[in-house]
Amino acid sequence: MGTRRARNGDSLSILFVLCGFLFGYTCGWTPIVVKNITQLGPQITSDVTRVSRDGGYSVLLNGQIIWLYDDTECLDRDGKQLSFVSNTAAYAEDANKNVSMLVDFGVEAVGKDKKTGKTNYAILADTTVATGGWISFSRDELDFNDKRKGIERVAIWPGTSPTPYSTSQALLFAPLVYVDNKPQDPSKEYQARGMTLISIAASSSGPTVDRQGDLIISGLQVAYGGFSSVLGYTSTAKPQDLNDRDVYLFGMTEAGLQLARASVGQLTDFSKYSFWDPTQLRFIKNPPELGEKDFKRVYLPGTFSSGSIFYSPYFHTFLMVYFNKYVDSIFRIRFLELNAPLGDDPTWPKQGKRGKGIAPEDVEALVKYAWSPEQELYKSPPAKGGFNYAGMAHPEYFNRQYFAPTLYPKGTSASERRNQ
């Protein structure tokens, strides 16, 4: 798992390993026990002189673990700004031996330190934030940022971990945010413009990104995909083609999580989405109001600020690991309780699909069973007087079956359908 640490204006990425287990299914909710904790320390890079990054999200592709970050500031040894961009990406140097070290890309020499004579290095050396960073801006976004010179800006923040749709590619709904450094109304320092869709790959020369259009989801809608996304089978049959897969997109609101569903091939067309209505226990065509406060019309009521939803091959169900909006640095967890079906669907009785559990691709289970009550998993140690934020799980580090088996190319042996 990982968090961001807020301390004296800096933010550090801190990694933890938790080893835990669930007791066997019982007639009540299953308690969660953490067996031991290992703090792996801050993420570091030798490629730049000094760096401070927001966020910290990850995905495994082509044998590389890609880390994505929000606002990234490079500094010299005395703290003077060398560059500032709204997003960057890096590789884990060696995910099997040293999970804290990163390899950065787009690094440039930006003069020498006056005291030591050593060369300063920065990522994407640009102090105007006009170029955005790793994820490209559209022409109008570039023009706006270039004109305002950082006083006001449009930012693209990855916001959550990408969702693989093959072993070599992933998708991510990233928020477009309008940032006003000195707003007349303090509540409007950050205003959501909506969500843009990007596809991600891993090459020998570094992580690559392709933006799929400008604004896919308007800022007047729930930010679907901004919390987490899960890909799997359609509700009708096992597909023969990846384009037949459905993506379940979770978005945060003041009342909790809302859920939308779309085919992989229709993700760029919001009019093709459907939306979960808890009162009818089915997907409908009309999206809920952004400010919906009736908990009966919210997919999962509660408070959420960051998190991950993923299938655990060890526990044979979906897990949700997250931070809520309380500034207490605590990871919280829920699991999909297969002994708590939401209806009388004969396909989805107790114990999972047709009573035989669920597979990683059985994403429809996310609307067929109840989530367990919230439990505290782990209180991460903040810096003195500070707090941690942006906490989420990074399952590629511990899930031996990180990719759903059907995402591997045809002909891949069973022994190779594993995360090494």
Side-chain angles (χ1 to χ4, degrees), residues 70-136:
D70 303 333
D71 283 347
T72 300
E73 182 180 27
C74 289
L75 311 158
D76 67 13
R77 293 168 182 84
D78 294 325
K80 180 182 177 181
Q81 186 183 87
L82 299 175
S83 70
F84 183 94
V85 290
S86 74
N87 55 77
T88 52
Y91 280 159
E93 184 177 84
D94 188 335
N96 292 318
K97 296 180 180 179
N98 188 345
V99 302
S100 297
M101 285 297 296
L102 297 172
V103 177
D104 278 295
F105 298 90
V107 175
E108 300 177 13
V110 285
K112 294 184 180 295
D113 187 286
K114 293 182 179 180
K115 294 180 180 179
T116 66
K118 294 181 178 179
T119 301
N120 286 320
Y121 293 93
I123 303 169
L124 301 167
D126 183 352
T127 58
T128 68
V129 305
T131 58
W134 181 60
I135 305 169
S136 63

Side-chain angles (χ1 to χ4, degrees), residues 216-248:
I216 305 300
I217 302 175
S218 162
L220 300 177
Q221 302 289 344
V222 173
Y224 293 107
F227 180 77
S228 190
S229 299
V230 185
L231 178 141
Y233 294 138
T234 66
S235 60
T236 53
K238 293 184 179 181
Q240 301 300 314
D241 187 279
L242 279 179
N243 287 332
D244 293 331
R245 298 297 179 93
D246 281 340
V247 182
Y248 283 54

Side-chain angles (χ1 to χ4, degrees), residues 143-159:
D143 291 344
F144 178 86
N145 283 356
D146 188 54
K147 181 179 180 180
R148 300 303 297 160
K149 304 296 183 185
I151 300 172
E152 300 167 295
R153 63 184 173 107
V154 174
I156 301 176
W157 294 333

Side-chain angles (χ1 to χ4, degrees), residues 222 224-225 228-230 247-253 256-261 274-277 283-284 287-288 297-300 309 363-364 366-367 371:
V222 173
Y224 293 107
S228 190
S229 299
V230 185
V247 182
Y248 283 54
L249 304 164
F250 298 85
M252 294 175 286
T253 71
L257 295 181
Q258 294 285 29
L259 173 62
R261 183 176 72 184
S274 58
F275 309 90
W276 183 249
D277 183 350
F283 284 96
I284 61 175
R297 298 183 179 278
V298 177
Y299 169 77
L300 182 62
I309 299 175
V363 291
E364 195 176 4
L366 294 166
V367 295
W371 286 100

